[in-house]
Amino acid sequence: LEKAKRPSVIWLSFQECTGCTESLTRSHAPTLEDLILDVISLDYHHTLQAAAGDAAEHAREEAMAANPGEYLVIVDGSIPGPKANPGFSTVAGHSNYAMLMETVENAAAVIAVGSCATFGGLPAANPNPTGAMSVMDLVKNKPVINVSGCPPIPMVITGVIAHYLTFGRLPELDAYNRPMAFYGQSIHDRCYRRPFYDRGLFAKTFDDEGARLGWCLYELGCKGPTTYNACATMRWNDGTSWPVEAGHPCLGCSEPKFWDAGGFYNAV
Ligand code: SF4
Ligand code: SF4
Ligand code: F3S
């Protein structure tokens, strides 16, 4: 088993901020080391691979040629669509759109990581100057699993990858192609401040008595009731805390168009 071939993974980074990869490196179960040394063969990843330049691009081409129909493509970042100027975002002389379509052609499946890849994210926010599109806007002939969030929770990223490669099938997905195991319930439904919401006890400002007493942040703009993610139970930084516990409303970062949806300090 130790010598068993690890599944090939090609990770493409397009219009992104590296926050999703930063998040991936914080996973503790499985750790990134466990994932890339024991579970997968990470054959291409701009930030994590040792190779550069031509050697890096050859690694991608070799992985595609050696594993037709079997390799997994992971994408972070949005893609200037086919009608956009191809020069808006390029890697090794290829437009993001051309590289995505070439790489997914013989892939087994695609996992879009982060709200840029799943829904367009920050680059697609109004006025979307690069014509940014999501992976599922463009890839229609392969299964696409969406792992949304800006960034997603580390263990959700590694958990979805490990699940797919272990069981060889898609997890149960919601209407936005997100795994139900992590996105099946709203932040609001699992929030420890919910008893205050139910009793009508709301903080009105970030430093009033209600805020100090840990009351509900709904009137400060919390998007928890319409946001589906696992932050309230899995939390961040090895289970240390999460935005609402730190005193900040949920911005709705795992939902479509969250940058334009009024999550940033627009009280309801
Ligand atoms: Fe960065 Fe957020 Fe986009 Fe990830 S989803 S690449 S963290 S802006
Ligand atoms: Fe719901 Fe947000 Fe209030 Fe928590 S803080 S109960 S998620 S509205
Ligand atoms: Fe994002 Fe809300 Fe969680 S802003 S990190 S989904 S609490």
Side-chain angles (χ1 to χ4, degrees):
L1 186 64
E2 279 177 9
K3 293 198 181 343
K5 191 176 162 202
R6 287 170 289 141
S8 173
V9 174
I10 298 174
W11 185 305
L12 304 174
S13 297
F14 295 133
Q15 295 190 121
E16 46 81 34
C17 76
T18 313
C20 288
T21 290
E22 283 280 345
S23 181
L24 172 73
T25 64
R26 271 41 165 203
S27 179
H28 67 273
T31 64
L32 179 62
E33 294 85 342
D34 290 341
L35 189 74
I36 64 178
L37 296 176
D38 296 334
V39 180
I40 65 173
S41 173
L42 187 60
D43 293 327
Y44 185 83
H45 187 305
H46 293 168
T47 310
L48 299 174
Q49 72 193 133
D54 263 3
E57 290 312 305
H58 285 316
R60 181 179 67 90
E61 291 158 6
E62 283 166 16
M64 290 162 55
N67 306 284
E70 293 178 0
Y71 60 89
L72 182 66
V73 175
I74 303 179
V75 181
D76 65 337
S78 65
I79 304 99
K83 294 185 181 159
N85 182 332
F88 281 155
S89 183
T90 66
V91 178
H94 304 286
S95 71
N96 289 173
Y97 176 71
M99 183 176 277
L100 173 69
M101 300 320 271
E102 178 190 71
T103 311
V104 302
E105 191 175 337
N106 285 317
V110 185
I111 300 179
V113 169
S115 290
C116 293
T118 55
F119 301 129
L122 174 61
N126 187 38
N128 190 355
T130 64
M133 299 175 77
S134 70
V135 173
M136 69 176 170
D137 286 337
L138 299 168
V139 176
K140 302 294 185 188
N141 60 350
K142 299 288 175 187
V144 176
I145 305 171
N146 281 333
V147 181
S148 63
C150 184
I153 296 169
M155 279 75 64
V156 174
I157 303 174
T158 53
V160 171
I161 297 169
H163 176 279
Y164 177 76
L165 293 174
T166 303
F167 297 107
R169 56 181 160 75
L170 302 184
E172 186 188 359
L173 302 175
D174 72 3
Y176 291 123
N177 287 11
R178 299 177 298 195
M180 288 291 285
F182 300 111
Y183 299 91
Q185 285 181 283
S186 72
I187 295 285
H188 188 60
D189 283 342
R190 294 185 280 191
C191 179
Y192 75 101
R193 296 190 191 228
R194 181 64 182 268
F196 296 114
Y197 176 93
D198 291 338
R199 289 162 57 201
L201 297 173
F202 301 101
K204 309 287 185 191
T205 69
F206 284 102
D207 58 357
D208 69 5
E209 185 66 8
R212 276 190 285 278
L213 291 170
W215 290 357
C216 173
L217 303 172
Y218 184 69
E219 295 193 3
L220 290 170
C222 185
K223 298 288 183 234
T226 51
T227 301
Y228 289 77
N229 204 344
C231 309
T233 45
M234 297 184 74
R235 305 155 107 213
W236 289 80
N237 298 327
D238 290 357
T240 304
S241 188
W242 62 292
V244 167
E245 190 170 343
H248 198 285
C250 170
L251 298 174
C253 80
S254 56
E255 295 302 309
K257 299 187 185 301
F258 89 96
W259 288 91
D260 294 328
F264 288 94
Y265 311 110
N266 290 344
V268 289

